């Protein structure tokens, strides 16, 4: 790759690679993200390449970033036809080449079918993709993230060339303010204002940080962006550094993300070789470079002052604000911090313009940067929903559209399972009931419901979910992740945990509910950082919308949500065929019975691990709710 010495020279390199990309070329894109790699995408890619080389075909096999539809991996898309295949195995390769590539014939078993058995041919037609609006994820599935030429062929670094060739730093700051871009890491603070404060702060040196800590359970948006398009994040960071006057940057990324780190380090090296990182970038006198800092996996380090402490080599603990990092951050110097997805939006705003970005989303940002939620948001859609994975949707989209159109509805709905709630915002988010499914998803509207956007976690729950157990699970997680520095968070979570753990054992008291609400109010008002001030959301929201479940646990000592381990029972029904699988799998030998005879489960030996329930192929094992335990077992 030749080195660009001026903004115009960079534009010429970009145009050369854009012209070299043939949209009609035959390509096979295989998802190489972590999810698909775990399903065997690595060997599949190599086998594709070997088979094509052996046949001497003029076909390029591209190992791309995450396509989003993770549970269906490995995913394969044939271009330019757009034919979409799922759960592809090495043994399928000859048939794909012989039938689909050579003759245009489709392979039925590899096509996606929804719950109604409707078949979808092309990727863009699959319901999971059809209603998304991909901006940050637009290149995922089309480029190899390890190849700089691929990024350049998709207008990569064009925004940077435009900025350094035509604009002053202050103009870029104003552009981002007018765009209404708000932080995608959870707080939703206007990005442009952060830039403005950092730019105006006094300091002989300024820093810029990309927060890729992503500690929410089940969240992997930032990981997939870094794995699939690291140059996009770098370009956003370089533009931001020019705008605020930063000369040094850090990407704080979880050490558990090895592929993201590998791809990012390669991208940094490639960017230096291109001339867009380092000293005197493109001959403009602007210098900026980036280092990777690996985090140890502490949830609290997602908070910006705790993250700064960790980079400095100290224990990751938040500090009192003000002063905010924009004034006094890393090593006491002005510092701008934004998360991965926020940085990835910046090049698009420059390339496509402020008016384009503000046309997406909700609200009016012309009068205030806090006046709306603009652009798209990536969510990690998981739980009791048919289509799990990563979805990018415009701000303001109704929850119902995400869960039922993109997500394909509730798993096992034909067996009677129904929607109960969706938790947004990660462990500190609130649980939203079905009455608000038509509510728009944006920063302000979710807050009104007692939840939040967070970094983008979205967990769907069905009617077999106990909301008391949900609250207990997340409180226990947050209790372990609390740094312990401030009393409201440390002691509040401990006390909440004690109460909720008693409650799920059937030992709750009526006065517990008032205590939980009081604790939540104090934590919200008096905690040092956002972890503590939002930690009570799972409890307060479930108390608000599902109070009857708490009252039922207290009054009866039973769980009708079929989740509280001490309050449920597994039961073998008459549908049992006597296949013996459950008996063989049971770790405590609680299940007995002869071959082809109805089996029995001895409750005194059962530890309610659920292994038998998962293993049964005949739906012959049911989980009894509290009421059913009385009816069927007489307890």
């Amino acid at each position: 790759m030749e080195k660009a010495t001026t903004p115009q020279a960079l534009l010429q390199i970009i145009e050369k690679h854009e012209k070299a990309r043939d949209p009609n070329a035959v390509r096979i894109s295989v998802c190489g993200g972590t999810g698909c790699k775990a399903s065997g995408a690595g060997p599949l890619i190599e086998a594709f390449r070997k088979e094509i080389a052996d046949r001497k075909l003029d076909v390029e096999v591209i190992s791309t970033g995450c396509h989003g539809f993770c549970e269906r991996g490995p995913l394969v898309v044939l271009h330019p036809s757009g034919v979409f295949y799922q759960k592809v195995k090495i043994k399928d390769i000859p048939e794909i080449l012989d039938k689909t590539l050579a003759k245009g014939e489709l392979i039925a078993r590899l096509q996606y079918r929804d719950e109604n058995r409707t078949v979808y041919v092309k990727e863009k037609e699959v319901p999971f993709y059809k209603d998304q609006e991909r901006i940050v994820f637009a290149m995922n599935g089309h480029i190899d993230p390890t190849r700089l030429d691929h990024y350049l062929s998709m207008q990569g670094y064009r925004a940077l060339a435009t900025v350094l060739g035509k604009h002053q730093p202050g103009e870029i700051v104003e552009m981002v303010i007018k765009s209404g871009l708000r932080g995608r890491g959870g707080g939703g603070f206007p990005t442009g204002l952060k830039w403005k404060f950092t730019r105006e702060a006094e300091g002989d040196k300024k820093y810029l940080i990309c927060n890729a800590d992503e500690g929410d359970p089940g969240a992997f948006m930032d990981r997939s962006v870094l794995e699939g398009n690291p140059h996009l994040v770098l370009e956003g960071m370089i533009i931001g550094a020019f705008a605020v006057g930063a000369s040094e940057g850090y990407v704080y990324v979880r050490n558990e993300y090895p592929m993201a780190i590998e791809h990012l380090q390669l991208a940094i090296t490639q960017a230096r070789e291109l001339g867009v990182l380092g000293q005197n970038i493109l001959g403009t006198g602007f210098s900026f470079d980036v280092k990777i800092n690996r985090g140890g996996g502490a949830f609290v380090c997602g908070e910006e002052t705790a993250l700064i402490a960790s980079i400095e080599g100290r224990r990751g603990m938040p500090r009192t604000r003000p002063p905010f990092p924009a004034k006094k951050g890393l090593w006491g110097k002005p510092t701008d911090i934004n998360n991965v997805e926020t940085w990835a939006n910046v090049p698009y705003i420059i390339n496509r313009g402020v008016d384009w970005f503000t046309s997406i989303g909700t609200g009016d940002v012309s009068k205030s940067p806090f006046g709306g939620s603009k652009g798209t948001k990536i969510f990690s859609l998981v739980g009791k929903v048919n289509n799990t994975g990563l979805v990018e949707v415009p701000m303001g989209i109704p929850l119902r559209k995400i869960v039922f159109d993109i997500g394909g509805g509730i798993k096992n709905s034909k067996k009677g399972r129904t929607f109960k709630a969706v938790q947004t915002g990660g462990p500190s988010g609130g649980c939203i009931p079905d009455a608000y499914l038509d509510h728009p998803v944006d920063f302000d509207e979710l807050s009104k419901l007692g939840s939040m956007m967070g970094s983008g976690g979205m967990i769907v729950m069905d009617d077999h979910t106990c909301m008391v157990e949900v609250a207990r699970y997340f409180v226990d997680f947050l209790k372990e992740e609390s740094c312990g520095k401030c009393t409201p968070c440390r002691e509040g979570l401990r006390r909440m945990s004690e109460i909720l753990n008693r409650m799920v054992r059937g030992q709750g008291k009526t006065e517990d509910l008032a205590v939980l609400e009081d604790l939540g109010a104090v934590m919200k008002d008096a905690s040092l950082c956002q972890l503590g001030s939002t930690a009570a959301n799972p409890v307060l929201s479930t108390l608000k919308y599902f109070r009857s479940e708490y009252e039922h646990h207290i009054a009866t000592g039973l769980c009708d949500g079929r989740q509280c381990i001490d309050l449920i029972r597994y039961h073998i029904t008459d549908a049992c065929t006597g296949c013996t699988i459950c008996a063989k799998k049971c770790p405590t030998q609680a299940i007995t019975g002869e071959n082809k005879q109805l089996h029995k489960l001895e409750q005194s030996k059962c530890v309610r691990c659920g292994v038998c329930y998962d293993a049964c192929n005949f739906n012959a094992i049911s989980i009894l709710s509290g009421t059913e335990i009385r009816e069927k077992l007489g307890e």
Side-chain angles (χ1 to χ4, degrees):
M1 180 67 64
E2 61 184 296
K3 186 170 185 176
T5 56
T6 65
Q8 186 58 38
L10 177 58
L11 284 173
Q12 291 173 355
I13 293 172
I14 294 167
E15 288 168 3
K16 181 181 73 174
H17 286 286
E18 286 178 348
K19 290 177 181 178
R21 184 179 182 87
D22 181 2
N24 297 315
V26 179
R27 304 188 310 277
I28 299 175
S29 294
V30 184
C31 176
T34 294
C36 283
K37 281 283 180 73
S39 300
L44 179 70
I45 292 166
E46 294 306 313
F48 254 120
R49 287 174 174 162
K50 184 178 184 305
E51 185 74 13
I52 285 171
D54 290 345
R55 295 184 182 209
K56 296 181 173 57
L57 298 177
D58 185 18
V59 177
E60 183 181 16
V61 178
I62 303 174
S63 174
T64 72
C66 176
H67 291 208
F69 207 175
C70 306
E71 73 166 48
R72 297 285 175 165
L75 304 175
V76 172
V77 181
L78 307 183
H79 297 286
S81 66
V83 170
F84 174 79
Y85 286 148
Q86 43 131 31
K87 298 185 177 180
V88 179
K89 296 179 175 59
I90 292 175
K91 66 181 181 180
D92 299 319
I93 292 175
E95 193 174 1
I96 291 173
L97 298 180
D98 291 336
K99 289 187 176 180
T100 309
L101 205 63
K103 302 176 183 178
E105 298 175 4
L106 299 175
I107 304 169
R109 71 177 184 280
L110 300 179
Q111 292 180 270
Y112 171 74
R113 289 173 169 78
D114 63 19
E115 201 173 35
N116 296 318
R117 307 304 294 169
T118 303
V119 179
Y120 298 88
V121 176
K122 297 185 178 182
E123 182 182 41
K124 64 182 181 180
E125 297 170 350
V126 175
F128 179 82
Y129 294 108
K130 183 168 65 72
D131 292 312
Q132 293 189 46
E133 186 166 350
R134 296 197 152 197
I135 296 174
V136 173
F137 266 165
M139 296 185 208
N140 278 40
H142 295 278
I143 66 170
D144 182 336
T146 67
R147 292 184 58 176
L148 175 57
D149 61 317
H150 277 205
Y151 182 65
L152 293 172
S153 72
M154 302 284 282
Q155 295 198 333
Y157 289 112
R158 179 175 287 275
L160 177 63
T162 301
V163 166
L164 295 185
K166 297 181 179 181
H167 295 284
Q168 296 298 314
E171 293 175 333
I172 303 303
V173 172
E174 287 303 313
M175 190 181 297
V176 175
I177 290 175
K178 290 178 181 178
S179 75
L181 176 64
R182 294 171 67 174
R184 300 303 199 248
F189 191 84
T191 303
L193 285 186
K194 270 191 178 183
W195 289 20
K196 185 174 186 290
F197 297 152
T198 307
R199 174 166 173 74
E200 294 176 349
E202 294 183 2
D204 58 341
K205 188 177 180 67
K206 295 179 182 179
Y207 294 97
L208 184 144
I209 297 174
C210 173
N211 183 350
D213 186 57
E214 195 167 52
D216 294 5
F220 51 106
M221 300 78 64
D222 292 348
R223 185 195 77 196
S224 295
V225 174
L226 285 175
E227 287 179 356
N229 201 351
H231 280 289
L232 181 65
V233 180
L234 281 182
E235 186 175 7
M237 291 179 69
I238 300 166
I239 293 170
F242 174 74
V244 306
S247 59
E248 191 173 334
Y250 289 86
V251 179
Y252 187 91
V253 60
R254 295 181 63 172
N255 195 46
E256 298 94 330
Y257 287 176
M259 191 192 302
I261 293 171
E262 178 187 345
H263 287 184
L264 179 61
Q265 187 59 67
L266 177 60
I268 290 171
T269 301
Q270 292 172 340
R272 288 175 183 152
E273 293 172 352
L274 179 63
V276 296
L277 265 186
Q279 297 298 310
N280 191 25
I281 295 172
L282 302 181
T284 61
F286 162 57
S287 299
F288 177 71
D289 213 340
V290 174
K291 299 176 183 177
I292 296 174
N293 189 290
R294 303 187 186 197
F299 181 70
V300 73
C301 284
E303 196 278 336
E304 56 187 18
T305 60
L307 182 153
I308 287 172
S310 180
I311 292 178
E312 293 175 342
R314 298 181 287 115
R315 180 181 173 188
M317 298 177 75
R319 63 162 172 79
T320 304
R321 299 178 302 174
F324 292 93
K327 298 289 185 182
K328 189 176 181 180
L330 189 62
W331 288 296
K333 305 295 183 181
T335 304
D336 180 83
I337 305 178
N338 290 114
N339 93 315
V340 171
E341 193 178 342
T342 310
W343 290 120
N345 273 284
V346 173
Y348 287 108
I349 293 172
I350 303 299
N351 281 334
R352 302 185 186 182
V354 169
D355 291 342
W356 163 79
F357 194 77
T358 56
S359 70
I360 306 168
T362 62
D364 182 4
V365 297
S366 61
K367 296 179 180 178
S368 168
F370 292 91
S373 301
K374 295 300 181 181
T376 61
K377 181 74 188 77
I378 302 174
F379 290 98
S380 170
L381 184 63
V382 297
K384 302 297 184 179
V385 65
N386 282 309
N387 302 333
T388 62
L390 295 177
V391 303
E392 185 176 359
V393 293
M395 293 281 196
I397 189 173
L399 277 166
R400 185 183 301 277
K401 197 166 192 66
I402 297 176
V403 174
F404 287 92
D405 293 347
I406 297 173
I410 303 303
K411 276 187 177 180
N412 297 317
S413 60
K414 292 185 177 180
K415 296 180 181 179
R417 300 285 68 78
T418 58
F419 174 88
K420 185 170 189 177
V422 58
Q423 187 196 34
T424 66
S428 301
C431 298
I432 302 169
D434 58 356
Y436 298 99
L437 269 173
D438 294 311
H439 215 70
V441 176
D442 67 23
F443 289 108
D444 304 315
E445 294 299 323
L446 289 178
S447 295
K448 291 177 184 178
L449 298 179
S451 190
M452 62 182 187
M453 183 80 70
S455 61
M458 189 171 286
I459 303 172
V460 179
M461 307 170 194
D462 66 10
D463 57 319
H464 277 194
T465 303
C466 171
M467 305 312 292
V468 181
E469 168 60 18
V470 166
R472 181 210 64 79
Y473 172 83
F474 285 114
V475 164
D476 280 359
F477 171 83
L478 292 167
K479 179 189 72 172
E480 294 301 318
E481 293 295 334
S482 172
C483 73
K485 186 173 183 178
C486 74
T487 302
C489 176
R490 181 186 67 244
E491 300 302 327
L493 285 169
R494 286 180 182 176
R495 185 73 179 113
M496 276 188 168
S497 175
E498 291 171 4
I499 293 171
L500 292 169
N501 275 282
R502 269 198 294 104
M503 205 170 284
V504 298
R505 293 195 300 268
Q507 300 166 4
K509 304 173 184 177
T510 302
E511 55 267 28
D512 287 340
L513 303 185
V515 174
L516 288 171
E517 290 173 327
D518 288 344
L519 286 168
V522 172
M523 291 166 64
K524 184 175 181 179
D525 293 338
S527 292
L528 179 62
C529 78
Q530 282 292 100
L531 188 154
S533 63
T534 60
N537 280 343
V539 178
L540 296 179
S541 63
T542 51
L543 276 171
K544 179 179 180 180
Y545 299 121
F546 303 97
R547 194 180 191 89
S548 61
E549 291 195 30
Y550 285 85
E551 293 171 341
H552 182 72
H553 276 66
I554 292 169
T556 67
L558 301 173
C559 174
D560 281 346
R562 299 173 174 83
Q563 276 196 307
C564 297
I565 296 299
D566 290 334
L567 308 182
I568 61 172
R569 299 290 184 271
Y570 286 86
H571 176 65
I572 299 177
T573 70
D574 292 340
C576 174
T577 63
C579 71
T580 74
I581 289 178
C582 62
K584 292 175 181 176
K585 296 277 188 180
C586 179
T588 61
Q589 298 181 324
I591 299 176
T592 57
E594 299 296 325
N595 188 34
K596 298 184 180 181
Q597 299 294 319
L598 180 67
H599 281 43
K600 294 183 179 180
L601 193 157
E602 188 175 334
Q603 295 295 336
S604 62
K605 291 183 178 180
C606 179
V607 293
R608 293 174 284 282
C609 62
V611 170
C612 60
Y613 183 83
D614 294 334
C616 183
N617 295 319
F618 302 97
N619 296 316
I621 297 179
S622 62
I623 305 174
L624 302 184
S625 67
T627 303
E628 291 169 336
I629 290 172
R630 287 179 169 175
E631 293 175 351
K632 294 183 181 295
L633 303 181
E635 293 186 21

